[in-house]
Amino acid sequence: MKFTLGVPFSGDVLPHQHLRTALISTTPPAVLVKELRKSYAREGGVLPFWNRGSQRHMALDGVSFELRQGERLAYLGPNGAGKTTMIRCLSGRTRPDSGTIELMGQPVDRSSARDTLGLVPQEIALYGDLTTRENLFAFGRFHGLRGSNLAKRVEWALQWTGLADRGDDLVSTFSGGMKRRINLACGVLHQPEVLLLDEPSVGVDPQSRQRIFTMLDQLSERGTSILLTTHHLDEAETQCDRIVIVDRGRVVATGTFDELLRQTIGRDRSVTVRLDRVLRGEGNEPLATCGLTLAVKPGERSISAKVPEIAVGLPRLIDAVGAAGYGVVDVDVQSPSLHHVFLHLTGHELRD
Amino acid sequence: MIWKVIEIHLRRLRHNRVEWLLAFVVPIAFFSIFALIFSRGVGSTPRVKVALVNGAAESAAASEVTDRCQTVLDNLGKNEGLRIIRGSSDGDTVDRSTAEMMVRRGTATIAVVIDQKDEQISAELLNDASDQVASQVVTALVTREIMVGSAPGIPEQVDSSTSAAEPPTSAVKLPSGQSQTGEPTSSSEQAEFAQFVQNVASKPDGTSSPPAPSFVPQAFGPPKIEVVNIIGQGKTNPVISVYAAGIAVMFLLFGATTGGGVLLEERENQTLERLLATHMTMDQLLLGKWFYLTLLGCVQVTVMFVWAQLVFGLNLSEHFDGFAMMTVATASAAASFGLFLATLCRTRGQLGGLSVVAVLTMSALGGSMVPRYVMSESLQRAGLWTFNAWALDGYDKVFWRELPPSELGPQLAVLMVTAFVLLVAARLLAIRWEVA
């Protein structure tokens, strides 16, 4: 059993999903991106300056996806896949070359973006030499809040971040996790309908990560649609409703985790059995007739298998190993994860 | 291990262009600037700006007397060490009141009034005491011209002995309010006279006494020359306003560039990205920073001048109107300069290097470090491209010349135009940060 905010829920259904099921309906998507393209001139190339325009990097190459209302969407990709460019396009901070972005059913412009969107950058974009309260008041004012409404929202943010007792301390004196929470709070003071989070949990300890996602759960309960980029694939797998994977400026897969599994590597468990001796080149007939897909290489000390029903397949595999005259030293069973899906879709090549 | 530490630092130095700049280029640049200032190796030697007044003509003396005075003035006008400042008329001379006004406004450094009293040619030098060199140079030159003019048939051989190339060391210093009198008489002892003039012209600086009696031939006495400080008379500490302004402007520039660096810091940590995703526009952001830097600069300069008044006797309270105008204009120009430099650079490291070079160069050329009157004319002209020079001229008018605020027009105009142009330039440069 997992517990969030003291509410027990089953392992397959996340707390924010209970409420979101009702919100995800026929209403227009919170964000709808169609065929978005954006390219930049390459920097530091060897071409002379008058010819650099011809050497361009395609950051977004026809990206399309949607963020449904009340949904939490993970936007994943290797380094340089165009994640930050997408966030900048959504927040109106950069102009796409072509394509459209709709926000709550309307074409996005700067004024609608600033009122509807909340942006939380990857860096700690705060004034370290101001106190928590001063930072909150400043960013609340920049978001157009004033008077008692601003004061009320600042008090809410202090409670929400769990930093009410540190409201008058300088932000520069805080730990990374505390700064991350204030960073997040400054982006939601104006109660945006859509929240864009660029790596919200980078560089923080597991406790702070848990706290940050608890805060996001509370926003989700209020109906905030959240798009987040992250390199913590376990977060995307367990904390998000749907996942978009991009690579080289293009969307390579979209769906829930289960949908992605079905589209890519399937739900079969990977089982590795370590043997007490190396595999012989002959006398392995029981392994061949056990009814499982095995990888058997004579001279190695292990057998790998894809097992659809682990309760049925694993005993059968161990029996076959015994029948072939080998002893079992260890058994490793791996469930398919987003990590495997991600590498399957984007490959193992480094993207430096 | 020690070698490894050295190696690491050498490798880091190799990759850091800003450090190269600060370590090698900046010191050489500053050495060159100060070498130019003090060696005067470039351009012409500074010529003293002089207004000439024929006192005899003004007092309606006999035409013969007027002509004698005019002859002395004409000879002075031909001297290469002097730059004659003319009035509205075509002639070299102006009337006394105009000459005084020229000195008070700084158009001329000194006014030479030649007259005849008791049948002897005399001179009155209406001086601006802030230029401690000019009065000595002009006294020597006027002494020579009067004596040459008083000794018919002598002088060409000595006329070339003093030139613009050596004025500071050929000066005879007369303290303000003092005068030298003598009875030059005609004599056939030309060599003796020539020797005397040489002595007058070449007497080492730093003496406030008249030429020693041993130099004076019995036949020739020094002419009566009276130096009157029409600006600076009675001031307890005449240079304090100059240095207060110089230091204040230099630190205004450093403060403004540091303040401008906050913009780059915001850009580097994505605060700028976040700010521009709110209701904030780049116009509002830059204007907010500009007003803040201007306000901070005003407070900074005011605190400095208040301190100068309390400790060094600067008369701030009596000149507060002019001071306030100059301070607002200077602080606003410095604020624009800081924002311009910040938007010109891509990183704070670049800004650090560039601001050190720019601020120190402007301060050196603009007179914040050494008074501009000791620089060659070409360097003085170059200094006008810095707003330090205009700011210091403005403060000079307020505190030293005690001119009314209406006289600050050129300085205020230049500073305000500078502030506007640099702010607009900063705004244009910041476009690249708005939407890429």
Side-chain angles (χ1 to χ4, degrees):
Chain A
M1 293 286 279
K2 295 178 184 175
F3 292 88
T4 301
L5 296 174
V7 180
F9 62 95
S10 72
D12 293 334
V13 182
L14 302 173
H16 50 268
Q17 289 175 326
H18 291 295
L19 186 78
R20 245 175 283 152
T21 308
L23 290 170
I24 300 171
S25 61
T26 57
T27 53
V31 175
L32 179 62
V33 176
K34 286 183 187 171
E35 287 296 315
L36 209 64
R37 285 187 167 78
K38 175 70 184 176
S39 63
Y40 294 106
R42 281 189 196 280
E43 288 188 6
V46 292
L47 289 175
F49 69 90
W50 61 84
N51 202 24
R52 279 184 191 156
S54 62
Q55 199 178 48
R56 299 188 72 81
H57 167 65
M58 207 67 179
L60 301 175
D61 190 7
V63 172
S64 299
F65 71 92
E66 67 175 25
L67 167 68
R68 297 165 190 161
Q69 289 195 30
E71 181 183 45
R72 192 182 301 169
L73 181 71
Y75 192 81
L76 310 180
N79 291 333
K83 302 186 295 294
T84 301
T85 303
M86 174 54 72
I87 296 243
R88 296 195 80 221
C89 284
L90 291 174
S91 61
R93 295 288 303 116
T94 194
R95 202 175 293 126
D97 300 336
S98 64
T100 59
I101 301 173
E102 287 183 13
L103 200 57
M104 309 305 284
Q106 299 295 320
V108 71
D109 57 32
R110 192 174 187 278
S111 72
S112 66
R114 72 189 182 198
D115 290 328
T116 312
L117 287 173
L119 173 65
V120 181
Q122 181 179 339
E123 301 289 330
I124 304 294
L126 300 169
Y127 294 107
D129 41 11
L130 295 185
T131 66
T132 313
R133 198 181 300 277
E134 287 166 342
N135 267 288
L136 290 167
F137 267 104
F139 284 100
R141 186 68 195 86
F142 295 150
H143 277 297
L145 304 178
R146 54 176 70 216
S148 61
N149 187 30
L150 174 59
K152 206 181 298 178
R153 290 299 297 166
V154 168
E155 287 311 311
W156 168 84
L158 287 170
Q159 299 296 330
W160 183 57
T161 53
L163 293 169
D165 57 335
R166 305 294 299 273
D168 296 320
D169 292 349
L170 293 180
V171 167
S172 59
T173 63
F174 288 174
S175 69
M178 294 159 80
K179 288 176 184 171
R180 284 267 158 217
R181 274 139 61 193
I182 304 164
N183 205 32
L184 179 54
C186 287
V188 299
L189 281 168
H190 60 305
Q191 298 176 282
E193 292 172 88
V194 178
L195 182 59
L196 306 177
L197 294 162
D198 197 359
E199 302 268 4
S201 60
V202 68
V204 299
D205 59 27
Q207 288 82 358
S208 291
R209 281 172 64 188
Q210 184 58 44
R211 174 73 195 201
I212 286 169
F213 278 98
T214 301
M215 291 162 66
L216 293 183
D217 287 341
Q218 292 172 345
L219 291 178
S220 295
E221 286 170 12
R222 295 163 190 240
T224 308
S225 311
I226 299 173
L227 183 145
L228 66 87
T229 71
T230 181
H231 285 295
H232 294 292
L233 298 180
D234 58 319
E235 284 177 2
E237 183 181 327
T238 60
Q239 303 285 346
C240 296
D241 304 308
R242 287 193 313 126
I243 296 158
V244 173
I245 298 179
V246 291
D247 191 19
R248 302 181 197 281
R250 296 180 181 186
V251 174
V252 293
T254 307
T256 62
F257 174 56
D258 285 339
E259 288 168 346
L260 292 182
L261 282 181
R262 280 199 297 276
Q263 292 168 23
T264 55
I265 59 176
R267 297 194 61 88
D268 295 355
R269 304 298 201 266
S270 296
V271 177
T272 303
V273 179
R274 285 187 60 212
L275 308 175
D276 61 347
R277 69 197 70 174
V278 295
L279 282 162
R280 300 181 301 269
E282 56 186 21
N284 294 329
E285 290 77 11
L287 295 174
T289 57
C290 71
L292 298 171
T293 307
L294 302 179
V296 179
K297 292 182 182 173
E300 292 192 350
R301 295 181 74 101
S302 64
I303 297 170
S304 299
K306 286 285 185 185
V307 181
E309 296 285 338
I310 195 71
V312 176
L314 186 56
R316 193 186 297 170
L317 176 60
I318 290 172
D319 288 347
V321 167
Y326 300 102
V328 175
V329 175
D330 195 9
V331 177
D332 179 30
V333 180
Q334 279 195 346
S335 298
S337 68
L338 187 57
H339 179 81
H340 299 110
V341 173
F342 187 84
L343 288 177
H344 176 84
L345 288 168
T346 60
H348 291 264
E349 182 191 346
L350 287 174
R351 309 295 169 82
D352 296 329
Chain B
M1 286 295 179
I2 293 172
W3 168 242
K4 201 66 194 170
V5 172
I6 295 171
E7 186 188 340
I8 288 168
H9 282 286
L10 286 174
R11 286 181 185 279
R12 291 184 66 188
L13 177 64
R14 197 182 69 176
H15 296 300
N16 192 332
R17 291 179 194 167
V18 173
E19 208 167 322
W20 273 98
L21 191 72
L22 292 176
F24 299 109
V25 179
V26 173
I28 290 173
F30 278 89
F31 162 72
S32 304
I33 290 172
F34 281 99
L36 289 177
I37 290 172
F38 289 110
S39 70
R40 299 170 183 180
V42 170
S44 58
T45 305
R47 295 192 297 171
V48 181
K49 294 185 288 184
V50 175
L52 299 178
V53 180
N54 190 332
E58 287 196 2
S59 58
S63 63
E64 182 188 343
V65 173
T66 304
D67 290 346
R68 284 184 65 195
C69 292
Q70 190 60 45
T71 303
V72 173
L73 291 170
D74 289 344
N75 289 336
L76 281 172
K78 292 172 189 166
N79 195 294
E80 291 180 357
L82 302 178
R83 192 170 121 207
I84 307 305
I85 307 298
R86 293 174 174 80
S88 53
S89 62
D90 291 337
D92 279 354
T93 56
V94 294
D95 60 62
R96 186 187 176 106
S97 61
T98 304
E100 275 194 32
M101 186 52 68
M102 283 176 166
V103 174
R104 287 189 190 284
R105 287 183 173 172
T107 318
T109 308
I110 198 164
V112 179
V113 184
I114 302 293
D115 203 348
Q116 178 167 317
K117 290 175 184 170
D118 303 330
E119 297 187 352
Q120 182 191 0
I121 298 288
S122 65
E124 194 177 1
L125 306 185
L126 309 179
N127 184 41
D128 171 3
S130 68
D131 188 335
Q132 296 164 6
V133 176
S135 63
Q136 300 176 39
V137 173
V138 175
T139 300
L141 294 177
V142 170
T143 301
R144 188 192 65 178
E145 295 301 343
I146 291 176
M147 297 197 75
V148 167
S150 303
I154 302 176
E156 291 309 318
Q157 66 203 59
V158 293
D159 194 33
S160 60
S161 63
T162 50
S163 69
E166 52 186 39
T169 55
S170 62
V172 176
K173 182 174 180 181
L174 297 178
S176 63
Q178 292 185 12
S179 64
Q180 301 296 315
T181 57
E183 292 293 332
T185 56
S186 60
S187 170
S188 60
E189 298 291 338
Q190 294 183 359
E192 197 177 7
F193 173 77
Q195 180 61 47
F196 167 70
V197 174
Q198 288 277 25
N199 289 337
V200 169
S202 63
K203 184 168 172 53
D205 191 7
T207 57
S208 58
S209 60
S214 60
F215 291 115
V216 185
Q218 289 182 347
F220 305 104
K224 182 181 177 185
I225 296 179
E226 186 177 4
V227 179
V228 179
N229 287 330
I230 61 171
I231 301 179
Q233 187 74 41
K235 285 186 186 292
T236 54
N237 203 340
V239 294
I240 209 66
S241 67
V242 176
Y243 286 111
I247 299 296
V249 173
M250 187 165 69
F251 278 90
L252 259 186
L253 289 173
F254 276 121
T257 52
T258 305
V262 174
L263 192 61
L264 287 171
E265 183 185 350
E266 287 173 340
R267 182 173 168 268
E268 286 169 11
N269 68 16
Q270 296 188 358
T271 307
L272 184 63
E273 188 80 4
R274 163 175 261 176
L275 290 176
L276 295 176
T278 67
H279 288 234
M280 174 82 72
T281 63
M282 185 59 91
D283 292 335
Q284 292 169 326
L285 184 65
L286 284 182
L287 277 177
K289 289 182 183 297
W290 183 79
F291 277 117
Y292 164 72
L293 290 173
T294 302
L295 184 66
L296 184 70
C298 290
V299 174
Q300 190 181 352
V301 175
T302 305
V303 167
M304 186 151 179
F305 273 77
V306 167
W307 175 259
Q309 174 166 12
L310 293 175
V311 179
F312 299 103
L314 183 77
N315 197 352
L316 172 63
S317 45
E318 278 188 18
H319 304 104
F320 192 78
D321 46 359
F323 165 79
M325 288 181 195
M326 281 308 303
T327 299
V328 169
T330 308
S332 61
S336 295
F337 177 74
L339 291 175
F340 170 71
L341 277 193
T343 49
L344 194 63
C345 296
R346 296 176 66 177
T347 65
R348 275 182 289 171
Q350 278 183 355
L351 177 65
L354 184 62
S355 62
V356 166
V357 174
V359 173
L360 289 183
T361 304
M362 288 171 62
S363 299
L365 286 178
S368 282
M369 294 179 178
V370 287
R372 287 174 64 231
Y373 63 74
V374 304
M375 300 178 194
S376 68
E377 286 191 30
S378 57
L379 278 179
Q380 287 188 33
R381 279 197 298 276
L384 290 177
W385 286 98
T386 71
F387 64 78
N388 296 56
W390 293 92
L392 296 190
D393 283 352
Y395 283 112
D396 183 61
K397 282 185 174 179
V398 173
F399 289 102
W400 183 252
R401 303 182 190 286
E402 299 182 317
L403 295 174
S406 58
E407 295 288 333
L408 297 173
Q411 285 73 27
L412 291 174
V414 167
L415 290 170
M416 294 310 291
V417 167
T418 303
F420 179 76
V421 169
L422 289 179
L423 188 60
V424 169
R427 180 64 188 88
L428 293 175
L429 286 168
I431 287 175
R432 71 187 195 277
W433 293 338
E434 281 187 288
V435 174

